[in-house]
Amino acid sequence: MLDATGDGKPQSRETTASRAKGGLLVAGGFVAVLFVIELINMLTLHALNRTFGLRPRSADGLLDILTFPLLHANLNHLLSNALPLIVFGFLVFLSGMRVFLTALGFSWLGSGMTVWLIGDGGITVGASGLVFGLFAFLLVRGFFNHSWRQILLAVVLFMVYGGILLGVLPIMGSYISWQAHLGGAAGGVVAALLLRPKHARTPAP
């Protein structure tokens, strides 16, 4: 049943529409910021990567966890992340700002900490860990929430984007940080677990 507002319009439809609009603005705005940063990075011959890229197992590298997803190796690197960030970010945002920030935050932290702990030693940059985190969140949340609608969406997303999950395995090219992918995906799963409904946390007697 839909709750009606005072003017008789269904409130749930307004909420869905506003979240859809907000999702496009937030996800699109975030990607736009990444393009601005990449433009500055290109003008400085990617000096930002050398300063703010993530260096594993270094004390300064802990601060780089906050910045490395905002930087990219080149424009093609950013372009490969841009569309999935918008798609996955938009879909996560449909569940609300709190859900989006939680999923993004855990993906960011999981990706960064994994690279810092077990990275190969070079400088890591790129938002692909966030892509994997948001994707993993969308894949598993329906099972935690016991939502057939979300599970159906997960099946569709898996059919379209499932191939990217190979990126969490240490079989990819040396220029690809599977550690960032794996950590981001783990962070997305943790976020889905923490955000599951309370009635799903404690089995009924």
Side-chain angles (χ1 to χ4, degrees):
M1 181 180 294
L2 300 177
D3 293 330
T5 59
D7 56 3
K9 296 180 180 179
Q11 185 176 5
S12 62
R13 289 183 182 176
E14 290 182 350
T15 301
T16 301
S18 63
R19 284 183 175 177
K21 185 183 299 183
L24 286 175
L25 288 174
V26 171
F30 180 67
V31 170
V33 169
L34 295 183
F35 274 100
V36 172
I37 293 174
E38 176 58 22
L39 176 60
I40 297 172
N41 213 1
M42 291 170 61
L43 293 175
T44 60
L45 302 180
H46 286 90
L48 295 179
N49 291 357
R50 296 187 291 273
T51 303
F52 299 106
L54 178 51
R55 293 151 291 173
R57 295 173 297 281
S58 68
D60 292 341
L62 288 172
L63 293 177
D64 298 332
I65 291 174
L66 301 176
T67 56
F68 85 100
L70 303 174
L71 305 167
H72 289 81
N74 49 54
L75 184 59
N76 287 335
H77 185 201
L78 173 55
L79 289 172
S80 68
N81 287 328
L83 181 59
L85 272 176
I86 292 175
V87 173
F88 300 155
F90 168 76
L91 291 174
V92 173
F93 194 93
L94 289 178
S95 295
M97 176 66 84
R98 171 176 165 271
V99 172
F100 173 78
L101 291 178
T102 302
L104 184 69
F106 274 91
S107 301
W108 198 311
L109 181 62
S111 178
M113 287 302 301
T114 303
V115 172
W116 190 85
L117 289 170
I118 63 173
D120 292 334
I123 295 177
T124 299
V125 294
S128 56
L130 306 184
V131 170
F132 275 76
L134 296 175
F135 184 46
F137 176 84
L138 290 168
L139 288 182
V140 303
R141 64 169 179 171
F143 297 96
F144 293 138
N145 296 344
H146 302 154
S147 168
W148 286 107
R149 179 177 59 84
Q150 292 177 352
I151 292 174
L152 179 61
L153 174 61
V155 171
V156 173
L157 289 174
F158 182 80
M159 293 175 62
V160 177
Y161 292 100
I164 71 172
L165 293 176
L166 291 175
V168 305
L169 303 175
I171 59 175
M172 308 302 290
S174 58
Y175 58 90
I176 295 177
S177 177
W178 62 269
Q179 298 93 335
H181 300 168
L182 178 62
V189 172
V190 170
L193 184 63
L194 293 176
L195 289 170
R196 71 193 190 279
K198 291 183 179 179
H199 63 77
R201 301 181 186 181
T202 304

